[in-house]
Amino acid sequence: MNPLLALYHRLLDQHGHQGWWPLKGNYHPKDYSFPHNDLEKFEIGIGAILTQNTTWKNVEKSLLALGSCLSPSKILDLSDAQLQDKIHSSGYYIQKTKKLKNWANFFIKINHCTPTREELLSIWGVGPETADSILLYAYQIPIFVVDTYTKRLLIKENLISSNANYAQVQAYCESQLPRQYELFQEFHALIVENNKS
DNA sequence: AGCCAGGCTACCG
DNA sequence: CGGTAGCATGGC
């Protein structure tokens, strides 16, 4: 077993199955069938944008405040001021209001199709980690999500060099792991959980 | 009191 | 191009 796969199993033993992506506040350990519909896919994108450089705790408050507005058309029906108010706790609320509406417009435009990475990256407000999180958790595409924790951990474990960029870290991880979306989902969640404790 | 959160964009040299 | 200030709240 290679060092990265060994690290995955160590984290899994230590923290158990994480059941990401949380939907309506619910985790679903060992059930990799989610999302079950378009609305859940949309909600994953909302959460991925709101959690940019922000704790999930603050995002949960926003998602609760959004409540029944978690659909593309309802997000677009809100005025900027109304939406800003609902997502206030997530920080950067002016920018994130624009980002959420961009995601809603995009989601309507793709009309139930699976977006490509390039399409997602073309949205103002969606960068590499957000795009890859959407592809991995909303569309079950085995693409490795790299965040600051991932990089920090892999540097500490001497698996990558400290000046590696996003694409290089991602390519390394994908080359060392079986290409299974279930494993990729679990691994990223475990890395985040590992950094909380 | 500061530093950090499940980043991204714009702008700088 | 690679590097970085600005965005903003809440928790510790």
Side-chain angles (χ1 to χ4, degrees):
Chain A
M1 188 178 337
N2 70 55
L4 187 64
L5 198 51
L7 173 61
Y8 168 72
H9 286 291
R10 228 164 65 219
L11 292 176
L12 188 55
D13 286 345
Q14 198 172 339
H15 301 287
H17 293 83
Q18 298 300 306
W20 274 32
W21 190 277
L23 287 160
K24 296 276 179 226
N26 296 314
Y27 294 81
H28 42 85
K30 296 193 186 181
D31 183 352
Y32 300 96
S33 64
F34 289 89
H36 290 168
N37 54 55
D38 256 26
L39 236 45
E40 290 184 348
K41 292 181 176 67
F42 181 69
E43 181 183 335
I44 290 169
I46 295 287
I49 288 168
L50 289 179
T51 199
Q52 289 170 1
N53 202 37
T54 300
T55 58
W56 186 256
K57 192 89 183 163
N58 286 350
V59 173
E60 280 180 324
K61 291 180 196 164
S62 300
L63 290 173
L64 207 58
L66 283 169
S68 61
C69 296
L70 280 172
S71 82
S73 60
K74 287 176 183 165
I75 289 285
L76 294 172
D77 281 344
L78 295 171
S79 70
D80 285 356
Q82 286 174 320
L83 188 48
Q84 283 170 21
D85 187 51
K86 289 184 187 301
I87 67 171
H88 185 263
S89 65
S90 296
Y92 311 120
Y93 50 83
I94 297 174
Q95 292 193 342
K96 283 178 178 175
T97 287
K98 191 172 162 191
K99 293 180 182 184
L100 292 188
K101 289 197 171 181
N102 285 349
W103 167 240
N105 274 313
F106 175 85
F107 198 82
I108 291 168
K109 193 177 69 183
I110 60 176
N111 189 29
H112 314 289
C113 292
T114 300
T116 65
R117 189 170 195 268
E118 290 66 35
E119 287 170 338
L120 288 167
L121 289 175
S122 74
I123 304 170
W124 188 93
V126 175
E129 189 191 335
T130 306
D132 290 340
S133 294
I134 290 172
L135 290 170
L136 178 61
Y137 290 103
Y139 293 95
Q140 302 183 332
I141 292 171
I143 188 161
F144 200 89
V145 177
V146 178
D147 62 0
T148 51
Y149 296 149
T150 308
K151 200 176 163 185
R152 196 182 306 168
L153 177 62
L154 298 189
I155 290 169
K156 198 182 80 175
E157 299 287 326
N158 280 313
L159 298 179
I160 57 166
S161 87
S162 58
N163 55 24
N165 63 29
Y166 189 101
Q168 290 166 333
V169 178
Q170 185 175 55
Y172 165 74
C173 292
E174 292 183 357
S175 76
Q176 300 300 306
L177 300 169
R179 218 175 185 76
Q180 299 164 354
Y181 79 88
E182 298 94 330
L183 190 155
F184 285 19
Q185 289 186 349
E186 203 65 74
F187 205 164
H188 175 64
L190 283 166
I191 288 171
V192 174
E193 176 59 25
N194 185 245
N195 274 272
K196 288 177 182 166
S197 48

